[in-house]
Amino acid sequence: MLGFNDYLLVSVILFFVGALGVLFRRNLIYILMSLELMLNSINLTLIGLAKYSNDTNPQVLILLILVVAAVEVAVGLGLAINLMRVKKTVDVDLFKSLKG
Amino acid sequence: MNAHILLPEIILSITAALVLIIEFLTPRRLQFTGTVTILGILLALFYDLSMFRNAGVGFFGMVKVGPFDRTFDLVFFIGAILLILLSFDYFVEISGEFYFFILTSLIAMMLLAKSIDLFMIFLSLETLSFSLLGLIGILKQKEFVAEASMKYYLLAAFSSAFFLFGIVLTYVVFQTTNISEISNKLFASGLTGIKPALIVTVVLILVGLAFKVAAIPFHMWTPDVYEGAPAPVVAFISAGPKAAGFAIILKIMLNGYQSHPELWSSIFAYLAVLTMFWGNLAALKTRNLKRMLAYSTIAHAGYVLVAVVSANQQAYAAIVFYMLSYTFMVFGAFSIISMLGDSHSNLEDYAGLSRTSPILAFMMAIFMISLTGIPTTSGFISKFYVFMSAAKTNHIWLVVFGFINGAISAYYYLRVVVFMYMMDTREELAIPYFPFLRSVMWIAVIFIFYLGLFPQKVFEIIISAL
Amino acid sequence: MKTVFYINALFSLIFALGVIFGKNPLRSALSLLLFFLTIALDFFFAGSEYLGFVQIIVYAGGIIVMIAFVIILLGLKKESPDYDITVRSFTGIILLGFFALGVLYGLAKSVLHLIPKAPYFDTSAAGIGDALFSKYLLPFEVASILLLVGVVLAFIFAKKEV
């Protein structure tokens, strides 16, 4: 019997796969795609929640998260174009460049 | 629906649209666009103050406005106006969208301080992050600006994904995203059966919030972004958005989970100590003034977190007072950094400043002394209130760590003073006369001494707003 | 039903791994497209056709096209290993793994009761629209500000002059 916990399990696994991609890819485009993976897997939890509590509100949240995801990609791609123009590369390497 | 309680935000949104239209019709007239922006902000500020005591819930339980939230608004307004003043002298030619981003970030911060719905907080946080990205990257053709904005974007997007996941899991646990309903449910049914899941959600949410206030472990972006971004923008980021971050922490942790402090109290205590120590120790070895102030911002976030741990009425007021006085200190310091220019922000460039321009050196010394927290300045009073609230709630060890850190920080703040007064100039630095930068400097100095010598009145207003 | 769901989930996982381990950017974008389609299938399984179609139209029709367009514009080619495992990134990945296990453990240890809020599951566009324009009116407005900020920001970064 399919239950909410199945949705939750798949969602958590996909979320952390996306996080893995953000952490160890260097190319900005790949990082953007991994961020999309993370946001989409969150939607999976929300649709499970909506289905098993007969609630409309999570569906509205999915629509609004879609807006956020679209904005993130649009801005990120603009940044990539600018970075390519200025530095001639879209490699970022989060671990090396953050001198923190 | 009670729409009128958000009247200041509505005015600001209309101004933002107006600024875009003005920029389209008469491009690149900075002072004109900026003046329109300031007028819009002043109008919003007027309505905000005239409705100061109006409290209420609006927009179907999405926002809850009280006098305390409006005291936070005051910090945001001051930061925005000072940033616009600084921008008149600092930027030679930029597109007027700069002022659009100031307005949208102002709207986002004000909504953050007022929302009582977790999802609403998430959306405002995203709006804030992207608006700040616009401010950071306004001089995008410079290489280090391109890099700084890219880093800021990546870490903002990454941490907000974790924040969103935390919110969604909270939704799963409580079947509501409304903070007061969550609080009611916790009071009614307690933690049985949901405690592990709750800890997971609190940790996920904290990842997002720690990024906003530059606390450990999401402090890494701060130094790089501070070094790369334009100096006025850096001053703005370290004042307003940070206050907004603390406003949400107060909302979520103290209002939502107030019946179960064991969930978050100790986490914040460790975060506070780690953040203080890391910020201060890292600031010791850097010789770039912008980077040093970035580390000191992290340390100051640690001091404010001490007040968050105390979690009583006086601590809330202490947080607002701290952010208010910190706004003036940081804007004062960055107005002088802007005068010397971003490329001259190494300690060596400040050597012998007391001889070439004695007034600037004296003012810089005052800002450094205030940041250290020496009496008669507002830096001392704000630290005093924070540690008082911690001492009253028996967090003596936090107070002790706070004092140790104050001593460490004195070294690197006073080193700037030593450079200005005791070292010799290597090269003459001709500093032109900047009217707007100077006026911001004077405003900052006046308020530092006003808040330092007569804090009682301001503090009472904040306390009475609680 | 459960088997179908998990087969679909397996495909989601395969495509997700294809995105993050891919060497050719365009192929990764294609993999991302297929991932979006599997998520849309999940929406259909849950009964929410409206969201499923929105997912396909917006993600597949909009976002993927945008990403593919930029990949072609920037002329990104297949790159020899663009990820390398250093000590620091390795510890980051290990920490992330522990974090993931902690999240799973914490969720598995708790009892999550989902109490139905309505007698039936309203998936119609009308029901969603009702909620969007009543309870979620303010988030909707903030989302519009966010979109405006995003448009101006993308424009600012992508245009040539300052």
Side-chain angles (χ1 to χ4, degrees):
Chain A
M1 184 58 199
L2 188 63
F4 173 69
N5 288 342
D6 301 309
Y7 279 89
L8 199 56
L9 176 72
V10 174
S11 168
V12 172
I13 291 174
L14 290 178
F15 181 83
F16 279 100
V17 168
L20 181 72
V22 176
L23 276 188
F24 92 121
R25 286 309 290 232
R26 281 202 321 221
N27 193 316
L28 186 56
I29 303 289
Y30 283 101
I31 296 180
L32 286 181
M33 291 197 270
S34 305
L35 283 172
E36 289 304 299
L37 287 182
M38 291 170 85
L39 288 179
N40 254 275
S41 46
I42 294 172
N43 283 351
L44 207 51
T45 307
L46 279 173
I47 194 67
L49 179 66
K51 183 180 174 189
Y52 290 98
S53 62
N54 289 349
D55 193 353
T56 324
N57 293 346
Q59 302 184 66
V60 180
L61 297 197
I62 290 176
L63 278 181
L64 292 174
I65 289 172
L66 199 128
V67 171
V68 173
V71 170
E72 259 177 25
V73 164
V75 174
L77 291 176
L79 269 172
I81 292 175
N82 184 42
L83 211 62
M84 198 69 171
R85 193 183 296 140
V86 176
K87 293 188 69 181
K88 308 278 177 277
T89 173
V90 285
D91 268 16
V92 293
D93 200 350
L94 220 48
F95 287 105
K96 268 188 201 151
S97 54
L98 285 170
K99 295 180 285 275
Chain B
M1 198 169 83
N2 223 350
H4 69 275
I5 58 171
L6 289 188
L7 191 59
E9 283 85 348
I10 294 169
I11 293 173
L12 289 176
S13 320
I14 295 171
T15 319
L18 203 64
V19 163
L20 278 187
I21 296 171
I22 290 175
E23 174 62 18
F24 176 69
L25 294 177
T26 61
R28 286 161 193 273
R29 285 172 60 191
L30 279 192
Q31 301 221 345
F32 178 60
T33 322
T35 314
V36 172
T37 315
I38 287 190
L39 287 179
I41 291 177
L42 286 180
L43 189 66
L45 179 63
F46 169 73
Y47 277 107
D48 213 25
L49 290 179
S50 68
M51 303 196 302
F52 193 70
R53 300 276 161 202
N54 275 19
V57 181
F59 287 96
F60 307 95
M62 286 288 159
V63 284
K64 183 179 167 200
V65 187
F68 187 59
D69 311 307
R70 299 218 191 267
T71 59
F72 268 110
D73 285 354
L74 208 60
V75 179
F76 307 147
F77 278 122
I78 292 170
I81 290 177
L82 291 182
L83 171 60
I84 295 171
L85 288 179
L86 286 184
S87 75
F88 286 156
D89 274 339
Y90 181 86
F91 293 109
V92 183
E93 204 188 9
I94 46 164
S95 46
E97 280 91 2
F98 188 73
Y99 299 104
F100 169 75
F101 289 127
I102 294 177
L103 285 166
T104 48
S105 62
L106 195 55
I107 297 167
M109 288 189 287
M110 292 167 70
L111 284 174
L112 271 180
K114 288 167 190 162
S115 3
I116 49 166
D117 190 281
L118 287 173
F119 193 71
M120 186 63 211
I121 290 177
F122 167 73
L123 276 180
S124 316
L125 204 64
E126 284 288 297
T127 313
L128 178 58
S129 300
F130 285 119
S131 309
L132 293 181
L133 182 62
L135 295 180
I136 292 170
I138 197 77
L139 300 170
K140 68 193 170 76
Q141 82 286 17
K142 291 187 182 169
E143 187 173 319
F144 47 86
V145 173
E147 199 165 330
S149 44
M150 189 264 311
K151 276 172 196 161
Y152 184 83
Y153 165 80
L154 281 183
L155 285 167
F158 191 51
S159 66
S160 76
F162 278 93
F163 186 68
L164 178 63
F165 202 34
I167 287 172
V168 167
L169 290 182
T170 316
Y171 197 0
V172 170
V173 172
F174 293 108
Q175 294 200 46
T176 174
T177 48
N178 191 300
I179 292 175
S180 16
E181 279 175 36
I182 288 174
S183 170
N184 290 342
K185 282 199 176 173
L186 269 176
F187 264 122
S189 52
L191 291 177
T192 39
I194 54 170
K195 196 178 176 191
L198 263 192
I199 291 174
V200 166
T201 62
V202 167
V203 169
L204 283 169
I205 287 177
L206 275 184
V207 169
L209 291 185
F211 169 75
K212 265 278 125 6
V213 300
I216 290 215
F218 275 83
H219 57 278
M220 304 94 77
W221 64 277
T222 334
D224 288 341
V225 171
Y226 274 42
E227 213 179 336
V233 175
V234 176
F236 182 67
I237 297 177
S238 54
K242 217 139 130 230
F246 284 114
I248 329 167
I249 287 183
L250 291 183
K251 271 265 150 63
I252 299 181
M253 296 304 155
L254 303 184
N255 293 343
Y257 298 92
Q258 61 193 10
S259 50
H260 297 279
E262 74 270 17
L263 279 176
W264 47 268
S265 187
S266 54
I267 301 181
F268 274 124
Y270 293 125
L271 268 186
V273 172
L274 279 178
T275 311
M276 276 190 288
F277 269 106
W278 192 87
N280 279 323
L281 292 177
L284 285 180
K285 59 178 187 213
T286 173
R287 299 184 78 77
N288 181 306
L289 208 59
K290 272 174 95 183
R291 208 174 170 86
M292 188 200 93
L293 282 171
Y295 291 122
S296 98
T297 300
I298 298 172
H300 282 279
Y303 299 137
V304 182
L305 281 174
V306 170
V308 173
V309 177
S310 323
N312 55 10
Q313 295 271 310
Q314 206 194 353
Y316 298 174
I319 290 173
V320 177
F321 190 86
Y322 201 107
M323 290 322 296
L324 192 63
S325 86
Y326 186 70
T327 307
F328 288 115
M329 293 190 272
V330 82
F331 265 101
F334 273 103
S335 71
I336 294 175
I337 293 177
S338 311
M339 281 183 221
L340 270 80
D342 276 338
S343 45
H344 297 284
S345 58
N346 284 322
L347 267 179
E348 286 74 22
D349 297 314
Y350 287 77
L353 195 69
S354 63
R355 272 176 287 279
T356 49
S357 36
I359 298 179
L360 292 191
F362 185 64
M363 293 296 168
M364 195 64 172
I366 290 175
F367 297 135
M368 289 300 136
I369 285 171
S370 183
L371 281 167
T372 320
I374 289 171
T376 73
T377 57
S378 66
F380 169 73
I381 298 290
S382 45
K383 275 209 185 76
F384 173 75
Y385 281 135
V386 165
F387 292 137
M388 270 291 281
S389 64
K392 270 190 187 157
T393 45
N394 290 326
H395 291 95
I396 302 296
W397 62 284
L398 278 177
V399 180
V400 172
F401 279 127
F403 277 118
I404 295 172
N405 273 288
I408 299 174
S409 72
Y411 172 75
Y412 61 83
Y413 288 130
L414 297 182
R415 186 170 59 182
V416 180
V417 180
V418 168
F419 262 82
M420 289 191 303
Y421 279 91
M422 313 209 169
M423 301 281 180
D424 279 329
T425 331
R426 272 190 324 185
E427 49 181 325
E428 285 289 310
L429 207 63
I431 300 167
Y433 184 81
F434 293 116
F436 288 107
L437 295 182
R438 289 223 174 207
S439 56
V440 169
M441 180 183 82
W442 285 109
I443 293 172
V445 165
I446 290 168
F447 274 96
I448 282 175
F449 280 114
Y450 176 69
L451 294 176
L453 296 171
F454 314 103
Q456 211 54 42
K457 194 154 188 245
V458 178
F459 199 72
E460 267 165 20
I461 292 173
I462 300 172
I463 281 268
S464 73
L466 274 166
Chain C
M1 201 61 196
K2 198 165 179 168
T3 2
V4 180
F5 176 80
Y6 271 104
I7 289 173
N8 187 35
L10 187 68
F11 275 110
S12 300
L13 185 64
I14 290 171
F15 294 135
L17 291 174
V19 173
I20 70 166
F21 287 109
K23 283 205 169 63
N24 187 336
L26 270 180
R27 199 164 289 172
S28 275
L30 189 66
S31 194
L32 186 63
L33 168 66
L34 293 171
F35 174 81
F36 287 153
L37 291 182
T38 59
I39 298 288
L41 267 184
D42 277 324
F43 289 169
F44 287 129
F45 287 153
S48 185
E49 293 91 357
Y50 175 70
L51 282 181
F53 282 118
V54 168
Q55 167 93 6
I56 292 175
I57 291 169
V58 174
Y59 277 110
I63 291 177
I64 289 293
V65 171
M66 213 151 60
I67 291 178
F69 184 70
V70 170
I71 290 173
I72 296 165
L73 183 74
L74 297 181
L76 294 182
K77 296 269 158 49
K78 181 174 153 184
E79 290 169 48
S80 55
D82 90 316
Y83 45 87
D84 50 359
I85 308 286
T86 59
V87 177
R88 251 182 117 177
S89 66
F90 191 69
T91 35
I93 289 164
I94 296 286
L95 282 179
L96 189 75
F98 276 115
F99 192 31
L101 287 180
V103 170
L104 281 177
Y105 177 79
L107 290 175
K109 272 299 222 182
S110 9
V111 192
L112 304 172
H113 285 296
L114 294 188
I115 307 146
K117 285 193 172 174
Y120 66 97
F121 182 30
D122 186 1
T123 58
S124 65
I128 296 174
D130 270 348
L132 190 60
F133 286 104
S134 61
K135 187 168 188 286
Y136 286 94
L137 180 62
L138 189 60
F140 180 73
E141 297 294 341
V142 176
S144 71
I145 296 181
L146 176 62
L147 269 179
L148 186 60
V149 170
V151 168
V152 176
L153 203 54
F155 167 71
I156 288 232
F157 276 121
K159 74 178 177 180
K160 266 219 170 69
E161 74 274 25
V162 188

